[in-house]
Amino acid sequence: MSDSKSLHLTAFMRPVSLHTGAWRYPGSYPDANFNLAHLKSFIKKLEDAKFDAFFMADHLAVLNMPVDALKRSHTVTSFEPFTLLSALSMVTEKIGLAATASTTYDEPYHIARRFASLDHLSNGRAAWNIVTTGNPETAKNFGLDDHVEHSERYKRAREFYDVVTGLWDSFADDAFVVDQESGIYLDPEKMHVLNHKGDDLKVRGPLNIARPVQGWPVIVQAGQSEPGKQLAAETAELVFCSPRDLESAKELYTDIKDRAVAAGRDRNHLKILPAAFIIVGDTVEDAKAKRLRLDSLVNYDSAIASLSIALGTDVSGFDPDGPLPTDLPETNASKTSRAGVLKLAEEEKLTVRQLAQRYGGYSGLAFVGTPETIATDMGTWLDAEASDGFTVVFPFLPQGLDDVTERLVPELQRRGLFRRDYEGTTLREHLGLPRPKNQFFS
Amino acid sequence: MSDSKSLHLTAFMRPVSLHTGAWRYPGSYPDANFNLAHLKSFIKKLEDAKFDAFFMADHLAVLNMPVDALKRSHTVTSFEPFTLLSALSMVTEKIGLAATASTTYDEPYHIARRFASLDHLSNGRAAWNIVTTGNPETAKNFGLDDHVEHSERYKRAREFYDVVTGLWDSFADDAFVVDQESGIYLDPEKMHVLNHKGDDLKVRGPLNIARPVQGWPVIVQAGQSEPGKQLAAETAELVFCSPRDLESAKELYTDIKDRAVAAGRDRNHLKILPAAFIIVGDTVEDAKAKRLRLDSLVNYDSAIASLSIALGTDVSGFDPDGPLPTDLPETNASKTSRAGVLKLAEEEKLTVRQLAQRYGGYSGLAFVGTPETIATDMGTWLDAEASDGFTVVFPFLPQGLDDVTERLVPELQRRGLFRRDYEGTTLREHLGLPRPKNQFFS
């Protein structure tokens, strides 16, 4: 199966579902976000289904929403990514382990070291999702009154990447002689002292851990802003993005890959996996009914506020169970956002309540259908060069995950769109990415 | 078995041995410091022997010694503590997991969160060894030119402790309502926003994880300086120290416990475990011979430099295989240090080479003998109120660990000096420590 013709799939597992109502869905584990036994079973099922990676998003502040929304949110307590993924590395053998770590609120020495350690513990399965941390509340947990400004965050992120990758290259692969007879443990000629002095960071090195099994853990990036796309093009090997539809995905795909080539990189060494919310049903109607049921668990007051923001006008006064009036006043809201809402309302014939709960639940790219229709859609995206696979978002657990691993994946495998077994042992091998050369040693 | 009459034992496992020659000892694993399979087998053996905890020391800089010593050091590469202990938590059920984390080079939000996560993953087995990081080279890996001054480090450490424990108390134990029917996940009245604003730290909170299983992970402290002892007395529940002999241990024990009482604490809620290097032999002579063999693996050039420092005079010109001359010139070296060296040379009739290699290897408190003599010594320390147990340092691995778990521990158990089984499941229960009340919720 040639890499260019098959999908890569990662599971986006934190919060357990991005859907705010998921923990209330019938049969779901309300504490799944914070229950180790469940998380172990999830990752084992994903490995059995040959997923490329298990991807832990993260956040560094609880107070990122009004208290009335917060009290309904299952995101308020969760395991810390490095401790969790390290634990999960012991119950799995092949699946990649991607953790989010902030370049704004952490130190490159710590980040380089932890990913290197996770990569060694897991025999080459670690990936670093570089985030600059957009939530302005985070600053207050780290000694600052105000959030670090966007362009400054991206400038620091770029430098941070240089430092972390430089630290990973502190030792040549054959630096550790370990000769019990002579007593020589290390060849100092094969140790590089980084001595980085940049605008934002000053780090001497070397790192206190051998070079990672993968050379460098896989670099993941999710930014869609201009600096985010540029950072991804220059550094990322796995891009996680949120296009709304096939056309915008194709544009983004081409844009980022072209930028990567302009930066001197091979366009195949950067895999683009849009986030896709997947609901599998016996029929398309069945899948849509599941989605409506899930959406109905979203709190209406919170949801109508989200919808009002998307439309740029207060719609809380309309009849929740009637259709959205078509003669809404023109406002300063983003036209794209507004047009998207109106198109959705029209296409799916949603009431105001249903539309609001869709926006309060999960309103991004979704594949809602049977294993066959979803496999066809995914194949279409792959053929259209709109993606190299998908970052799968499960609607509810465990059933939403089981539906993907037990029903969708076998259908993808039948069509030759997804691997039947891992061909290698490291995440780089799953993704068809080369092991980076050590920049200081040949 | 009443707690006051029995020993607590922890294993000090990083570097794998503090002895610089350990990786060269016959039968040792040269890469044991960095071999997960071995570390798994070590912690399982320690759990089978009912040790209280597995204790990972740490360092944040490689360049803490001259290159000629560095190239002989097995400490240059190792797993990062949180990732390693999280992994090891999955192959054990009862043994405590103590990690070192620096209050000088990390953020309280990160530290609080990681220990809370490790405590949840391990069902209440985490402990935090508070260090202020004495190695001046570390600053250069964290953006600073100069090391943070000693008293400033300890001042920040004390405030850091307040912030971390305050963050652990962010949520009442019953804060998470998780009512699927009503959609209420969290009771906001049971969430505390810390809003800490101190001299060195400003942290809002709350933490993004439920209160740890133990309430607070166990607090460990190793300082022996005046501010170190005071910090231990005010905060520590487990004190790891390095007295040279029984008399100095009794003084230190009484000093720290009296300070704890003066700070309003119960003297039994602070356990003092001196570091003890243990070599078990068939006879006392056999054990001493093992030690000489181990010491002989220390590089002489590095060793003679250590000895010269301890004596305050250059002794590299003496015959390595003769006795240390008794008429050394008076110098400005610490009299205690000098007297210790001379006493050791006299008592054990060591040559200059052997004495140097003892200082270059491990020169702290050691119990070298048979299971019976060591058990007797340990009982004497316990009865004399010189310690509540020991932080065991293994001379070499795996044999030095097997000798302790298979030979010494059974002898201690026969004498009623050590538990035959765990009575509880959390580290606090092993140590006889209470679960701290939440300072913000009753």
Side-chain angles (χ1 to χ4, degrees):
Chain A
M1 175 159 73
S2 100
D3 184 70
S4 61
K5 291 282 180 190
S6 66
L7 296 161
H8 294 286
L9 296 177
T10 69
F12 191 73
M13 293 297 290
R14 157 89 192 91
V16 164
S17 169
L18 289 189
H19 196 288
T20 55
W23 68 276
R24 301 178 65 196
Y25 197 80
S28 78
Y29 307 134
D31 67 345
N33 191 34
F34 198 59
N35 181 315
L36 183 60
H38 292 326
L39 287 165
K40 279 161 72 173
S41 84
F42 297 156
I43 196 168
K44 285 180 176 185
K45 288 176 183 179
L46 292 164
E47 183 167 78
D48 286 344
K50 317 303 175 195
F51 265 58
D52 292 78
F54 178 93
F55 181 178
M56 285 284 294
D58 196 30
H59 67 133
L60 294 170
V62 165
L63 300 179
N64 55 353
M65 53 185 102
V67 166
D68 194 66
L70 188 68
K71 74 184 184 191
R72 302 174 187 283
S73 173
H74 62 299
T75 66
V76 76
T77 180
S78 68
F79 297 106
E80 182 276 337
F82 286 97
T83 46
L84 176 62
L85 292 182
S86 301
L88 295 178
S89 76
M90 300 296 274
V91 299
T92 52
E93 289 178 4
K94 297 283 182 75
I95 192 167
L97 303 162
T100 295
S102 171
T103 55
T104 304
Y105 299 109
D106 214 327
E107 292 281 345
Y109 198 89
H110 287 316
I111 295 295
R113 186 183 184 208
R114 256 174 233 129
F115 278 105
S117 189
L118 179 62
D119 204 56
H120 282 286
L121 287 167
S122 65
N123 288 315
R125 297 188 279 140
W128 172 27
N129 177 31
I130 302 183
V131 300
T132 69
T133 308
N135 171 11
E137 299 302 318
T138 307
K140 301 190 178 73
N141 288 334
F142 293 90
L144 302 177
D145 290 319
D146 297 313
H147 195 39
V148 181
E149 188 266 316
H150 189 270
S151 65
E152 170 54 28
R153 293 206 314 273
Y154 275 85
K155 182 169 148 292
R156 178 178 156 106
R158 186 65 185 74
E159 186 180 341
F160 200 108
Y161 164 87
D162 287 339
V163 175
V164 168
T165 52
L167 288 171
W168 282 334
D169 287 344
S170 291
F171 297 99
D173 288 330
D174 58 353
F176 299 97
V177 179
V178 192
D179 181 356
Q180 286 177 306
E181 186 57 35
S182 67
I184 302 299
Y185 195 87
L186 162 76
D187 178 355
E189 297 293 313
K190 295 186 174 170
M191 177 178 83
H192 180 80
V193 181
L194 188 63
N195 273 325
H196 175 90
K197 290 186 178 116
D199 283 353
D200 289 308
L201 300 166
K202 195 160 63 174
V203 181
R204 187 170 63 160
L207 198 61
N208 54 1
I209 184 165
R211 193 163 191 252
V213 173
Q214 295 185 100
W216 301 352
V218 172
I219 304 294
V220 187
Q221 232 281 305
Q224 288 188 103
S225 63
E226 279 300 306
K229 283 191 285 194
Q230 192 55 31
L231 180 65
E234 292 174 20
T235 66
E237 300 175 290
L238 200 61
V239 174
F240 155 56
C241 54
S242 307
R244 283 205 57 84
D245 54 30
L246 184 66
E247 285 312 309
S248 63
K250 280 168 69 173
E251 264 175 50
L252 187 64
Y253 185 94
T254 306
D255 181 6
I256 294 177
K257 294 233 175 182
D258 286 350
R259 289 178 191 238
V261 171
R265 299 180 60 204
D266 182 327
R267 66 194 306 125
N268 293 319
H269 293 169
L270 182 154
K271 308 295 176 186
I272 300 183
L273 311 189
F277 185 77
I278 297 182
I279 299 188
V280 180
D282 296 333
T283 62
V284 173
E285 287 317 302
D286 177 44
K288 285 187 173 173
K290 285 183 186 175
R291 186 176 203 187
L292 284 173
R293 182 168 191 185
L294 175 60
D295 283 348
S296 77
L297 300 171
V298 175
N299 178 258
Y300 182 69
D301 294 337
S302 307
I304 198 73
S306 303
L307 182 63
S308 297
I309 290 165
L311 288 166
T313 187
D314 181 3
V315 294
S316 65
F318 294 125
D319 174 13
D321 299 309
L324 187 71
T326 51
D327 57 345
L328 291 174
E330 283 289 334
T331 70
N332 288 327
S334 148
K335 282 186 186 171
T336 320
S337 160
R338 189 186 173 89
V341 177
L342 294 171
K343 183 164 170 246
L344 178 65
E346 168 69 18
E347 278 177 3
E348 301 204 19
K349 310 224 179 306
L350 301 177
T351 64
V352 169
R353 183 191 305 277
Q354 288 169 331
L355 199 56
Q357 287 173 326
R358 175 69 50 87
Y359 273 80
Y362 187 88
S363 62
L365 174 67
F367 294 126
V368 180
T370 65
E372 293 74 21
T373 67
I374 298 172
T376 298
D377 287 345
M378 287 185 160
T380 303
W381 279 58
L382 190 64
D383 288 341
E385 299 207 327
S387 81
D388 297 307
F390 295 94
T391 301
V392 177
V393 178
F394 302 109
F396 38 78
L397 293 159
Q399 194 57 52
L401 184 149
D402 292 345
D403 288 341
V404 168
T405 56
E406 295 169 12
R407 301 179 67 186
L408 175 59
V409 166
E411 180 60 27
L412 293 171
Q413 288 169 333
R414 262 191 295 277
R415 299 182 183 205
L417 285 170
F418 192 58
R419 69 172 71 83
R420 288 179 185 272
D421 202 357
Y422 294 107
E423 289 168 18
T425 59
T426 70
L427 178 56
R428 288 193 171 274
E429 288 168 335
H430 306 337
L431 291 167
L433 298 170
R435 185 178 193 267
K437 287 192 172 55
N438 191 317
Q439 58 199 297
F440 309 120
F441 301 98
S442 59
Chain B
M1 176 161 70
S2 100
D3 184 69
S4 61
K5 291 283 181 187
S6 67
L7 295 161
H8 295 286
L9 296 178
T10 69
F12 191 72
M13 293 297 290
R14 159 88 192 88
V16 163
S17 169
L18 290 189
H19 196 288
T20 55
W23 68 276
R24 302 178 65 197
Y25 197 80
S28 78
Y29 307 134
D31 66 344
N33 191 34
F34 199 58
N35 180 314
L36 184 60
H38 293 325
L39 286 165
K40 279 160 72 173
S41 84
F42 296 156
I43 195 170
K44 285 179 176 185
K45 287 175 182 179
L46 291 164
E47 183 167 79
D48 286 343
K50 317 304 176 194
F51 264 58
D52 291 76
F54 179 92
F55 181 178
M56 286 283 293
D58 197 29
H59 67 134
L60 294 170
V62 165
L63 300 180
N64 56 352
M65 54 185 103
V67 166
D68 193 67
L70 188 69
K71 74 184 184 191
R72 301 175 186 282
S73 173
H74 62 299
T75 66
V76 76
T77 180
S78 69
F79 297 107
E80 182 276 337
F82 285 97
T83 46
L84 175 62
L85 291 182
S86 301
L88 295 179
S89 77
M90 301 296 273
V91 298
T92 52
E93 290 179 2
K94 297 285 182 73
I95 192 167
L97 304 162
T100 295
S102 171
T103 54
T104 304
Y105 298 108
D106 213 326
E107 292 280 345
Y109 198 89
H110 288 315
I111 294 295
R113 185 181 184 209
R114 258 175 231 127
F115 278 105
S117 189
L118 180 61
D119 204 57
H120 281 287
L121 288 167
S122 66
N123 288 316
R125 297 189 279 141
W128 172 27
N129 178 30
I130 303 182
V131 300
T132 68
T133 307
N135 172 9
E137 300 301 318
T138 306
K140 301 191 177 74
N141 288 333
F142 293 89
L144 302 177
D145 290 318
D146 297 312
H147 195 39
V148 181
E149 188 266 317
H150 189 270
S151 65
E152 170 54 31
R153 294 207 313 274
Y154 274 86
K155 182 169 148 292
R156 178 178 157 107
R158 187 64 186 75
E159 186 180 340
F160 200 108
Y161 165 86
D162 287 340
V163 174
V164 168
T165 53
L167 288 170
W168 283 334
D169 287 346
S170 290
F171 297 100
D173 287 330
D174 58 353
F176 299 96
V177 179
V178 192
D179 181 355
Q180 286 176 308
E181 186 56 36
S182 67
I184 303 299
Y185 195 86
L186 162 76
D187 178 354
E189 297 293 312
K190 295 186 175 170
M191 177 179 82
H192 180 80
V193 181
L194 188 64
N195 274 326
H196 174 91
K197 291 186 178 114
D199 283 355
D200 289 309
L201 301 165
K202 195 159 63 172
V203 181
R204 186 169 65 162
L207 199 60
N208 56 0
I209 184 165
R211 193 164 191 253
V213 173
Q214 296 186 100
W216 301 353
V218 172
I219 305 294
V220 186
Q221 232 280 306
Q224 288 188 105
S225 63
E226 278 301 305
K229 282 191 286 192
Q230 191 55 32
L231 180 65
E234 291 175 21
T235 67
E237 301 176 289
L238 200 62
V239 173
F240 154 58
C241 52
S242 307
R244 285 204 55 83
D245 55 28
L246 184 67
E247 286 311 309
S248 63
K250 279 168 70 173
E251 263 175 50
L252 187 64
Y253 186 95
T254 305
D255 182 8
I256 294 178
K257 293 234 175 181
D258 286 351
R259 287 177 193 239
V261 171
R265 300 179 62 204
D266 181 328
R267 65 194 305 126
N268 293 318
H269 293 169
L270 182 155
K271 308 294 177 186
I272 299 182
L273 311 188
F277 184 77
I278 297 182
I279 299 188
V280 180
D282 295 334
T283 61
V284 173
E285 288 317 302
D286 175 46
K288 285 186 174 173
K290 286 184 185 174
R291 187 176 202 184
L292 284 174
R293 182 169 191 181
L294 174 60
D295 284 346
S296 76
L297 300 169
V298 175
N299 178 256
Y300 182 68
D301 293 338
S302 307
I304 197 74
S306 303
L307 182 63
S308 296
I309 289 165
L311 289 167
T313 188
D314 181 3
V315 294
S316 64
F318 294 124
D319 173 14
D321 298 311
L324 186 71
T326 50
D327 57 344
L328 291 174
E330 283 290 333
T331 72
N332 288 327
S334 149
K335 282 186 186 168
T336 321
S337 160
R338 189 185 172 90
V341 178
L342 294 170
K343 184 163 168 249
L344 178 64
E346 168 67 19
E347 279 177 3
E348 302 204 19
K349 311 221 179 308
L350 301 176
T351 64
V352 169
R353 182 192 306 277
Q354 288 169 331
L355 199 57
Q357 287 174 325
R358 175 68 49 86
Y359 272 81
Y362 187 88
S363 63
L365 175 67
F367 294 125
V368 179
T370 66
E372 294 73 22
T373 66
I374 298 172
T376 298
D377 286 345
M378 288 186 158
T380 302
W381 280 59
L382 191 64
D383 289 341
E385 299 206 327
S387 82
D388 297 307
F390 296 93
T391 300
V392 178
V393 177
F394 301 109
F396 38 76
L397 292 159
Q399 195 57 53
L401 185 149
D402 291 346
D403 289 340
V404 167
T405 58
E406 294 170 13
R407 300 179 69 186
L408 175 60
V409 166
E411 179 61 26
L412 292 171
Q413 289 170 332
R414 262 191 294 278
R415 297 182 184 205
L417 284 171
F418 193 58
R419 67 172 72 84
R420 287 179 184 274
D421 201 358
Y422 294 108
E423 289 168 18
T425 59
T426 69
L427 178 55
R428 288 193 172 276
E429 288 168 334
H430 306 338
L431 291 168
L433 298 171
R435 185 177 193 266
K437 287 194 171 54
N438 190 317
Q439 59 199 297
F440 308 119
F441 301 99
S442 58

